[in-house]
Amino acid sequence: MRFRHRDGTAVHLAYCTNVHPAETLEGITAQLTTYAEPVRKAADEPVIGLGLWLPQDAAAVLAADPAAVAALRRELTARGLETVTLNGFPYRGFHAPVVKRAVYYPDWSEPARLEYTLNLARILARLLPADAERGSVSTLPLAWRTAWSRTRKAAAMRQLDALAAGLRRIEAETGRTIRVAVEPEPGCVAETTEQAVRLLADADHDRIGLCLDVCHLAVAHEDPGSAVARLLTAGLPVVKVQASSALEAADPADPKVREALAPFAEPRFLHQTREAGLPGGALLGSDDLGPALAGALPGRAPWRIHYHVPLHEEPAPPLASTGPVLRETLRTLFGGDHAVTDHIEVETYTWSVLPEGSRPVGAAGLARGIAAELSWTGRELTRLGLTPAPPAGAPAPGSPAAAPAPAPQTPAPREEARP
């Protein structure tokens, strides 16, 4: 889905495929038929965007085989799908029975993270639509905080320099610009936009910027306007925004609220929880919802929980979402005279672990839910004055997808030297 901002910027809207379990290229290709094309049809759009998640093994295969990338591009185009952004945060195993802190490894102090991210950039340079200005790859906020040290920080900074150099080489080889977006998240080295500004002060801001995940922003109790102003003042670009909402509990001391929260304390993903109300705006924190409910947090002030909930509907009372924070973030980014970013990715990856009774039924149910999120986001953008702008030659909604476009003819990418 594409929109046009009043300043002329083409704004791309996609949904992230990390919601679908697949670790191989064959599985990823099958997702396009099972999930992505039905999402497009349910949304009644001629073309929708995918924020592809390509696990490490599949990314390595694609990066080494331009013909395989061209085949994937044809599969996307034939189904009315396009890709301008990749989610490079999870490395592999994102749908393992237990993920938790494993999602933060390898971190940016390890060569494997650099190699993986450059592979994604090489692939995206070949997947980009011909008329897309640039591509983006989101990545983790350097590391989980407990693994951090001066030595690891120095290694991570060297690797970010190597990343920027690799992205410049990819642009020289392919003619396509790819930027990498560091995504602040609670519990990590860069938990807030303020921490990200400090850590990335010396990074190449032409190639490396920020992924603003709105769920994470809300859990950190950051004000959207202040956060975006901080980034703009520092010259750190908002490369990508992830449209997401967190779970909120206004009165976590209430037994009924705690009873409602208990089913959200599930075993696969980490659900960092933050309690507001300390002097000076400081937060109390728990690394997961289960310990918070067991007493790690006092529950004297509202909780915001890193649990991505569907954008288009509120959780059942007495719980709520941080939807107002998402609306305010979109207004801050797109409601002014100039668009602050041009890539939006709906990222609700937790559909399969929602409490019983809230989960979609089957692939068709999931497709309808994701389509509803995309439609909700599209309506919010139009309320801000953006206008739908489907790609030239796209068929009308409900008609067959456009014929596949040829992949750009570019030289085969060279292997990047590892530090």
Side-chain angles (χ1 to χ4, degrees):
M1 298 169 69
R2 299 190 191 187
F3 295 82
R4 184 74 60 183
H5 190 272
R6 64 179 64 89
D7 70 357
T9 300
V11 176
H12 297 262
L13 172 61
Y15 89 87
C16 185
T17 66
N18 66 358
V19 65
H20 308 312
E23 297 284 327
T24 66
L25 180 55
E26 293 75 14
I28 291 160
T29 303
Q31 290 173 356
L32 306 182
T33 301
T34 304
Y35 300 107
E37 190 173 8
V39 168
R40 181 185 65 78
K41 292 177 178 178
D44 197 23
E45 292 287 340
V47 177
I48 65 166
L50 297 187
L52 283 176
W53 174 55
L54 302 174
Q56 188 275 333
D57 291 343
V61 170
L62 285 165
D65 187 355
V69 181
L72 177 58
R73 181 189 172 97
R74 288 193 296 271
E75 294 285 348
L76 289 164
T77 306
R79 291 167 175 77
L81 311 170
E82 65 179 11
T83 294
V84 301
T85 188
L86 302 181
N87 190 323
F89 196 131
Y91 185 77
R92 63 158 66 100
F94 194 56
H95 288 268
V98 179
V99 178
K100 299 294 184 181
R101 290 177 182 81
V103 76
Y104 307 108
Y105 297 92
D107 64 34
W108 268 103
S109 69
E110 301 174 71
R113 177 59 65 171
L114 173 62
E115 180 181 20
Y116 172 55
T117 307
L118 285 173
N119 277 345
L120 294 178
R122 293 187 190 98
I123 295 163
L124 183 55
R126 293 175 173 274
L127 289 179
L128 278 179
D131 61 345
E133 183 175 352
R134 55 186 162 232
S136 62
V137 178
S138 49
T139 189
L140 75 162
L142 303 189
W144 183 253
R145 70 185 189 283
T146 56
W148 204 235
S149 66
R150 290 183 179 179
T151 301
R152 294 176 81 92
K153 178 181 178 181
M157 294 303 109
R158 288 193 299 270
Q159 296 222 119
L160 290 181
D161 289 341
L163 171 66
L167 295 174
R168 288 192 293 271
R169 285 193 290 272
I170 289 169
E171 182 168 353
E173 293 166 355
T174 67
R176 309 312 301 268
T177 299
I178 308 296
R179 299 190 296 176
V180 170
V182 172
E183 180 184 329
E185 179 170 316
C188 294
V189 172
E191 177 165 337
T192 64
T193 55
E194 183 177 2
Q195 291 170 336
V197 164
R198 289 200 304 268
L199 285 164
L200 300 176
D202 296 326
D204 179 349
H205 292 174
D206 289 332
R207 308 289 169 177
I208 299 171
L210 207 78
C211 172
L212 200 62
D213 185 304
V214 186
C215 170
H216 303 171
L217 188 80
V219 172
H221 291 259
E222 290 199 72
D223 171 71
S226 300
V228 172
R230 179 180 299 114
L231 298 172
L232 295 178
T233 299
L236 189 62
V238 182
V239 169
K240 170 179 174 177
V241 59
Q242 285 180 325
S244 54
S245 287
L247 187 65
E248 187 168 53
D251 184 8
D254 184 334
K256 292 183 179 179
V257 172
R258 300 178 83 83
E259 182 181 0
L261 282 173
F264 289 91
E266 54 84 30
R268 178 175 296 162
F269 299 117
L270 205 61
H271 300 298
Q272 302 94 312
T273 304
R274 297 292 182 266
E275 179 172 330
L278 289 179
L283 304 177
L284 294 171
S286 171
D287 283 343
D288 212 348
L289 176 58
L293 289 169
L297 294 179
R300 292 189 292 265
W303 287 358
R304 287 181 175 175
I305 300 142
H306 177 215
Y307 198 118
H308 291 221
V309 293
L311 307 186
H312 62 291
E313 59 187 13
E314 283 290 302
L319 304 180
S321 79
T322 58
V325 179
L326 176 55
R327 288 189 176 92
E328 179 62 18
T329 303
L330 293 174
R331 189 197 66 78
T332 301
L333 294 171
F334 301 106
D337 292 336
H338 300 283
V340 176
T341 188
D342 55 356
H343 290 179
I344 310 171
E345 182 181 66
V346 170
E347 198 215 13
T348 306
Y349 59 82
T350 46
W351 286 95
S352 65
V353 296
L354 288 170
E356 293 287 348
S358 300
R359 298 174 193 170
V361 178
L366 178 58
R368 288 193 296 271
I370 295 170
E373 291 191 297
L374 286 171
S375 298
W376 181 93
T377 309
R379 289 193 298 272
E380 292 298 314
L381 295 175
T382 58
R383 288 190 184 105
L384 293 170
L386 281 71
T387 55
S399 66
Q409 299 300 309
T410 57
R414 295 192 302 267
E415 187 67 24
E416 299 291 344
R418 291 174 59 172

